[in-house]
Amino acid sequence: MAIVALYACNSEKKDFSYRGLSMALPFQTFIDSLQQRGFAIDSAKTDSDFTRVVMAKDSEKYRLVIARQDSLVQALQENYQISTNDSTRRMWQELRDQFEKDLGAWPNMPKHGDDHKIAKFEADGGFITITLENTYKPTLSVLYQSK
């Protein structure tokens, strides 16, 4: 009996979350929860059928782009608003180190140059990709994708 219970616990699908908020929630519930955290919908950048929703919060350095498939969150991306290449490089490294610590895993690094870096982490229930592009305008994003 103990073996069956142990197997059931180990085979249970873990919930993929975004900053403590389950991405398995229904899409509208997920959006409502973000609004309760102070994020507002940017109606000028959100499509009319709410397949893609853009949200922002004044106290954060990033905007959220949330995509749904059917009634669930499929992907969420943080797009950071940082003006200098040095700032984005430093933030990319801080984010990478934090995910490495939190997930207890090394990332797959398909690209690792000075001005273009990608770190891909596999987490329980999904994937997290940190992308840095410092070409003409510094760009830093973190993509959360459910499996």
Side-chain angles (χ1 to χ4, degrees):
M1 191 65 143
I3 294 172
V4 172
L6 181 63
Y7 178 75
C9 290
N10 288 339
S11 65
E12 185 178 306
K13 183 180 176 188
K14 298 225 178 176
D15 219 13
F16 188 50
S17 66
Y18 167 72
R19 297 183 184 250
L21 185 59
S22 173
M23 289 182 67
L25 291 171
F27 185 77
Q28 190 57 53
T29 305
F30 190 84
I31 297 297
D32 293 344
S33 297
L34 286 171
Q35 286 179 313
Q36 289 176 353
R37 292 180 177 194
F39 284 89
I41 295 173
D42 183 345
S43 57
K45 296 189 176 173
T46 298
D47 58 17
S48 60
D49 62 354
F50 264 52
T51 300
R52 186 186 84 158
V53 175
V54 177
M55 301 183 84
K57 183 177 178 181
D58 290 338
S59 63
E60 298 294 346
K61 295 179 182 178
Y62 58 86
R63 297 175 73 77
L64 295 176
V65 180
I66 307 151
R68 76 176 167 106
Q69 183 175 12
D70 300 323
S71 64
L72 295 175
V73 176
Q74 181 62 36
L76 179 142
Q77 182 168 311
E78 296 174 341
N79 294 316
Y80 285 81
Q81 308 292 316
I82 303 173
S83 59
T84 67
N85 286 347
D86 288 339
S87 296
T88 54
R89 285 184 189 110
R90 185 173 47 255
M91 173 132 337
W92 184 90
Q93 190 63 50
E94 290 169 2
L95 287 167
R96 180 191 177 274
D97 293 346
Q98 188 61 47
F99 282 122
E100 194 174 290
K101 179 182 170 190
D102 292 347
L103 299 172
W106 289 87
N108 176 13
M109 299 283 296
K111 192 91 167 162
H112 195 279
D114 286 338
D115 289 325
H116 189 187
K117 299 178 185 186
I118 299 173
K120 293 184 176 191
F121 292 91
E122 183 171 358
D124 290 332
F127 301 95
I128 301 169
T129 305
I130 309 168
T131 304
L132 169 72
E133 293 186 73
N134 279 339
T135 50
Y136 301 107
K137 181 180 176 188
T139 304
L140 178 65
S141 65
V142 181
L143 175 64
Y144 296 79
Q145 292 176 292
S146 299
K147 283 185 183 176

